[in-house]
Amino acid sequence: MPNIRSLNKMDFTKMIPDREAKIADASTSDALPNDAYIANRLAQALHPYAQYLKIKDIIERGEDAKTFVFEPDGKKTKELAYFNAGSYLSIVFSIGGAHLTRPYSLSSSPRDSLSGAYSITVKRAFGGLASNFMLDKWKKGDLVEASAPLGQFTYSPIRDQKVVVGLAGGSGITPFYSLAQAIADGDESCSLILLYGSKTLSEALFEKEFRALEERCPKFKLVNVLSNETREGCEHGFLNAEIIEKYAPKGEEYSLFICGPQAMYDFLEKETPKLGLRKKDIRHELFGEIHDPSKDPSYPSEKKNGHYRLKVHIDDETKTIPCSADESLLVSMEKAGISVPTHCRSGECGFCHSRLVSGNVYVPEKVDGRRMADKLYGYIHPCVSFPLSDIEIEVPHFKP
Ligand code: FES
């Protein structure tokens, strides 16, 4: 094995004939099947294309929220993929003839996945098509298709500070519940100071469970921040820079993790610069779907009410459907019954990556997760692309 210092250009040059000689000596018999290799089996176990789940239990959480506990269906999925706290599942739905997916953060401890359980916790949302469908229709024993655990909203000891200050709002608490359990289980090395914004204490999810975690783990602390009531032991008002500074460690660096509704992100955009943190120490969960791109200051306002035609090439078929300026191309395709590969729906994962053959789209800057090369060669993420003209796109239909 060459020493790292000896890896000069000559060493690399010598590697080429060595490698060619090995290829020439290699067996010409058929390659072994993929699952003959341990590395392939491990990759498949950690990153399956799809997981087939059964609803094992449903836990009511007040009037408007439920926790769904999944187990493997036992047929197509025998074991669940492990995950890091903060990951999400992209869940597949068929609602009213439309095929769509929605991302939901895992709220259970990563350790539970090893004994065959995942949980997600869903809160009713005004106009929330998938969330309300789950709350109203799902029952024990139902079968559910989901992706492998995905996402970047996870703690990394290499990138993040030893102390995480979490800012949560509404159902944005779910990845933090998973993280708090992982810390208490000894599976994450950071400590967590969690500031949880709710209107009232009765609306706050997992209150009892968080208090039990505080009891058993000195590395976790919860502070409720209530906007509509005053309670002893809770902060009153909104999650602002003053409250964050009050609880953040003094004289010690920390990472700020944020997960909540769009209104909370918008509010915190003005507050977090007051904290003087480096950009890398402020982490957001997915921004979520953009419902009105015209709110962006750089949106070309003369295009606001445009209606156009969208020509889609997918699966050797071509379909032409209507689309409008206030809807992402992805939503227009789903409404027309076109099944597009998606996971995050927020411009981050790249799974919906498609080629823009012709036309112009508007992509809000904060959710434009494309690489430079994608922009240069005309690729877009339809989940965050809004039409400014008639559009033609090629959508790859990915199946393993
Ligand atoms: S679904 Fe993730 S980038 Fe579009």
Side-chain angles (χ1 to χ4, degrees):
M1 179 75 129
N3 179 300
I4 191 77
R5 288 179 190 281
S6 72
L7 284 176
N8 59 32
K9 207 171 158 200
M10 285 308 291
D11 291 316
F12 279 113
T13 313
K14 278 187 237 147
M15 281 166 71
I16 296 168
D18 282 356
R19 192 173 55 197
E20 280 173 350
K22 279 186 184 147
I23 291 170
D25 281 352
S27 162
T28 53
S29 62
D30 285 347
L32 292 171
N34 262 348
D35 63 2
Y37 299 97
I38 291 173
N40 287 352
R41 289 204 299 275
L42 182 64
Q44 181 58 27
L46 288 173
H47 310 287
Y49 173 73
Q51 299 190 94
Y52 298 90
L53 312 173
K54 185 152 74 165
I55 301 176
K56 184 182 175 194
D57 202 3
I58 300 177
I59 302 163
E60 303 275 345
R61 304 222 175 248
E63 280 177 15
D64 268 343
K66 290 178 186 176
T67 293
F68 297 96
V69 184
F70 301 115
E71 62 183 351
D73 73 344
K75 291 182 182 140
K76 288 195 265 185
T77 295
K78 302 258 190 300
E79 288 177 339
L80 301 180
Y82 187 73
F83 65 95
N84 290 322
S87 304
Y88 68 87
L89 295 179
S90 174
I91 296 187
V92 180
F93 298 90
S94 273
I95 305 177
H99 172 91
L100 41 93
T101 67
R102 289 288 184 277
Y104 286 92
S105 293
L106 284 150
S107 56
S108 45
S109 166
R111 201 170 270 213
D112 293 346
S113 62
L114 301 175
S115 48
Y118 283 155
S119 297
I120 59 168
T121 301
V122 179
K123 220 172 171 177
R124 193 171 294 280
F126 180 71
L129 179 67
S131 305
N132 296 347
F133 178 83
M134 295 156 91
L135 291 169
D136 296 333
K137 304 278 185 209
W138 275 10
K139 53 190 188 320
K140 263 194 209 180
D142 281 357
L143 299 174
V144 174
E145 182 182 338
S147 68
L150 301 162
Q152 310 291 327
F153 194 60
T154 51
Y155 178 73
S156 160
I158 296 171
R159 175 195 54 209
D160 301 317
Q161 306 296 343
K162 288 192 175 66
V163 179
V164 171
V165 174
L167 308 182
S171 56
I173 193 68
T174 52
F176 292 113
Y177 182 42
S178 181
L179 179 59
Q181 292 170 86
I183 293 169
D185 289 342
D187 295 331
E188 290 288 7
S189 56
C190 59
S191 43
L192 173 63
I193 299 162
L194 181 56
L195 309 178
Y196 181 15
S198 309
K199 285 188 187 139
T200 60
L201 192 58
S202 61
E203 278 190 16
L205 290 168
F206 309 120
E207 171 65 12
K208 244 178 36 210
E209 291 85 348
F210 276 135
R211 295 304 169 199
L213 284 169
E214 271 184 329
E215 287 281 305
R216 90 171 155 103
C217 177
K219 291 168 82 179
F220 170 64
K221 177 182 172 60
L222 168 72
V223 179
N224 283 298
V225 182
L226 307 176
S227 60
N228 290 13
E229 69 176 352
T230 310
R231 286 250 192 174
E232 203 187 323
C234 302
E235 289 290 340
H236 178 66
F238 292 104
L239 277 171
N240 57 21
E242 200 185 327
I243 292 179
I244 299 166
E245 272 175 336
K246 180 171 170 185
Y247 291 97
K250 311 286 175 283
E252 190 184 345
E253 293 192 301
Y254 62 93
S255 295
L256 200 62
F257 279 35
I258 306 172
C259 185
Q262 190 59 48
M264 184 177 122
Y265 289 135
D266 294 345
F267 180 74
L268 285 170
E269 234 167 64
K270 294 178 202 98
E271 294 298 303
T272 51
K274 299 176 192 166
L275 302 169
L277 298 175
R278 287 172 296 183
K279 203 173 164 198
K280 85 165 193 67
D281 289 331
I282 303 183
R283 312 268 320 282
H284 292 91
E285 176 49 314
L286 306 169
F287 277 98
E289 279 186 66
I290 305 272
H291 296 291
D292 186 1
S294 67
K295 279 190 183 152
D296 254 22
S298 53
Y299 185 83
S301 52
E302 71 282 3
K303 298 283 184 182
K304 192 171 171 190
N305 297 314
H307 292 273
Y308 307 106
R309 291 164 72 77
L310 170 59
K311 193 187 238 191
V312 185
H313 303 281
I314 184 169
D315 285 342
D316 300 326
E317 268 189 74
T318 298
K319 293 181 182 166
T320 302
I321 60 170
C323 63
S324 58
D326 60 348
E327 264 180 6
S328 70
L329 297 178
L330 172 64
V331 169
S332 299
M333 288 189 277
E334 285 176 342
K335 280 188 174 172
I338 300 174
S339 181
V340 182
T342 54
H343 281 151
C344 71
R345 306 178 72 89
S346 300
E348 184 193 90
C349 73
F351 203 60
C352 64
H353 185 257
S354 302
R355 190 168 80 85
L356 181 65
V357 178
S358 66
N360 294 313
V361 293
Y362 178 76
V363 182
E365 197 189 331
K366 69 180 172 194
V367 288
D368 191 353
R370 290 175 297 168
R371 296 167 300 178
M372 292 261 285
D374 287 339
K375 292 184 195 174
L376 198 63
Y377 292 105
Y379 283 87
I380 58 169
H381 295 161
C383 63
V384 290
S385 299
F386 296 84
L388 299 174
S389 68
D390 287 342
I391 302 286
E392 183 175 354
I393 56 171
E394 278 174 10
V395 180
H397 197 163
F398 175 77
K399 275 276 177 190

